[in-house]
Amino acid sequence: MSASTSPSADLLKTPLHDLHVELGARLVPFAGYSMPVQYPAGLMAEHRHTRTAAGLFDVSHMGQLRLLGPDAAAAFETLVPADVIGLAVGKQRYGLLLTDAGGIIDDLMFIRRAEDELFVIVNGACKAGDIAHIQARIGGRCQVQPLPDRALLALQGPQAATVLARLSPQAATLVFMTGGDFALDGIDAFVTRSGYTGEDGFEISVPAAQADALARRLLAEPEVQPIGLGARNSLRLEAGLCLYGNDIDTTTTTPIEAALTWSIQKVRRTGGERAGGFAGADTVLAQLDGTRPVARRRVGLVALDRVPVREHTELRDLQGQPAGEVTSGLLGPTVDQPIALAYVRADLAAPGTELHAIVRGKPVRMQVAPTPFVPARYYRG
């Protein structure tokens, strides 16, 4: 769909919609919104620009909410297997919203914005359900306040901090997974040093009415180019990061199967000070402890043949037996070879294991590889 083609009338628009059209974006339906998949430069150029300079992403389709009150952190710990109570003001974490069976309702980011306030960002396609779930489970213990009047921009890449320093020298001093309130060239914003590209960068929550002005201010900097969802996907895959709905979901994946064990801090694990106590804890901790084996695990794959392997591609072992399925896959622009995320039988999850992806009836040789495929460049100070 070209920028001149009107998307369906029932699609929502972000506060930057008119800017995307002005910039020549190709708009596509995504999470109920009309979103830019790429600009005239194209996906490959946008991907490489983010890896070498600074890319600006509109992620305003994401859900933003606040959890308010003295019991907010303890309440939120009943929903996610992360250390929320121990999180210092200004510190951010990745978390998983779980079902009572240990399935993944959504993955999210949360930060303790103040002693009695958590700021949470959830995926766009999941936000209505997430907010309803959180309200139903802990709305009696804290105030659950959705923030539909805010936009979200992501400034990502090795020159992101240089650019942001021109708007707010203080904001540019943040380190990875921290955040705070700053004025960016006179616009009040909540900024975290985080993102989903594997690069250094920032996510910027700003009032919707000021999003266009801030985006134009950032795009006026010589290092910054607009980047669409296409490059966002290839960047996150090279970084080995999950896409909700592809690589994790409610019904078929637990945190242990999804190789997201690192997001469960020691204090919430068996033997920890606040072990368990979260939705799905019996299943998740039993899998983590090895008392309940898992049949499959998420792994990275690199193609030994130069054939891109897409999601839902069947995997077989070298004897031709079913081995699993690819959940995300493409030709990695930075690594210049086909890469994928997949779920494979637990006995085939070791790095170096060779598998066959069945593409148009023919086997493509794949090898289990550690992720990220491109080393992360987060700024830790």
Side-chain angles (χ1 to χ4, degrees):
M1 183 185 300
S2 69
S4 60
T5 304
S6 297
S8 303
D10 58 350
L11 288 177
L12 299 169
K13 297 176 181 178
T14 76
L16 298 182
H17 178 82
D18 290 348
L19 178 59
H20 299 317
V21 173
E22 183 183 318
L23 294 171
R26 183 161 71 89
L27 299 166
V28 299
F30 184 81
Y33 284 79
S34 173
M35 296 292 290
V37 67
Q38 66 180 58
Y39 298 88
L43 187 155
M44 295 288 278
E46 292 172 27
H47 180 110
R48 292 188 177 117
H49 187 86
T50 305
R51 288 269 186 253
T52 57
L56 183 66
F57 302 76
D58 179 11
V59 285
S60 301
H61 64 294
M62 306 278 277
Q64 303 179 59
L65 61 147
R66 300 163 75 202
L67 305 180
L68 301 164
D71 200 29
F76 198 48
E77 277 202 357
T78 66
L79 305 183
V80 298
D83 178 7
V84 187
I85 290 173
L87 197 62
V89 173
K91 301 287 188 180
Q92 186 178 39
R93 282 210 165 107
Y94 173 88
L96 300 167
L97 195 62
L98 300 183
T99 68
D100 293 332
I104 302 171
I105 297 171
D106 200 5
D107 60 341
L108 50 81
M109 299 286 279
F110 64 95
I111 184 169
R112 191 187 281 270
R113 189 171 180 177
E115 198 60 46
D116 292 348
E117 177 182 352
L118 297 173
F119 177 70
V120 185
I121 297 176
V122 299
N123 281 303
C126 306
K127 65 183 175 184
D130 288 358
I131 292 168
H133 176 82
I134 293 168
Q135 179 67 51
R137 291 293 180 100
I138 64 172
R141 296 179 60 179
C142 62
Q143 183 184 349
V144 181
Q145 183 185 88
L147 301 170
D149 58 342
R150 295 189 75 82
L152 191 66
L153 309 181
L155 182 68
Q156 301 282 296
Q159 296 182 36
T162 299
V163 170
L164 197 67
R166 296 178 194 138
L167 280 66
S168 170
Q170 294 78 23
T173 65
L174 291 169
V175 296
F176 183 56
M177 297 297 272
T178 67
D181 291 281
F182 300 93
L184 303 183
D185 210 26
I187 297 173
D188 289 334
F190 185 72
V191 181
T192 61
R193 196 156 194 167
S194 60
Y196 219 61
T197 61
E199 294 292 333
D200 183 22
F202 303 85
E203 291 197 340
I204 305 166
S205 173
V206 64
Q210 294 177 288
D212 184 87
L214 180 58
R216 291 176 189 274
R217 175 68 181 84
L218 290 166
L219 288 169
E221 297 302 313
E223 298 90 346
V224 183
Q225 293 291 327
I227 312 295
L229 292 175
R232 179 174 164 84
N233 182 54
S234 57
L235 288 158
R236 71 88 195 168
L237 182 50
E238 286 190 337
L241 300 171
C242 293
L243 175 64
Y244 190 85
N246 281 47
D247 311 302
I248 49 177
D249 61 44
T250 304
T251 56
T252 67
T253 53
T254 68
I256 312 308
E257 293 169 323
L260 296 172
T261 306
W262 57 267
S263 70
I264 307 173
Q265 283 74 41
K266 186 177 179 180
V267 70
R268 307 302 310 277
R269 300 186 184 196
T270 302
E273 183 185 339
R274 296 190 308 284
F278 55 86
D282 289 350
T283 296
V284 171
L285 293 182
Q287 289 182 344
L288 184 58
D289 298 341
T291 56
R292 184 180 301 182
V294 296
R296 62 186 202 134
R297 293 186 182 274
R298 181 175 66 89
V299 299
L301 294 174
V302 173
L304 301 177
D305 303 315
R306 199 171 172 79
V307 179
V309 177
R310 309 295 182 185
E311 62 191 78
H312 304 309
T313 299
E314 177 192 0
L315 296 168
R316 296 179 187 168
D317 64 19
L318 299 187
Q319 287 71 48
Q321 297 301 306
E325 183 180 77
V326 171
T327 52
S328 291
L330 46 70
L331 178 66
T334 306
V335 297
D336 194 31
Q337 62 186 142
I339 56 174
L341 297 179
Y343 282 85
V344 302
R345 289 186 347 230
D347 62 305
L348 299 172
T353 302
E354 189 170 326
L355 302 169
H356 287 161
I358 308 305
V359 179
R360 292 185 291 278
K362 296 181 179 180
V364 175
R365 295 181 305 140
M366 308 285 289
Q367 189 173 69
V368 176
T371 60
F373 301 102
V374 173
R377 295 200 285 186
Y378 306 128
Y379 177 72
R380 302 181 187 276

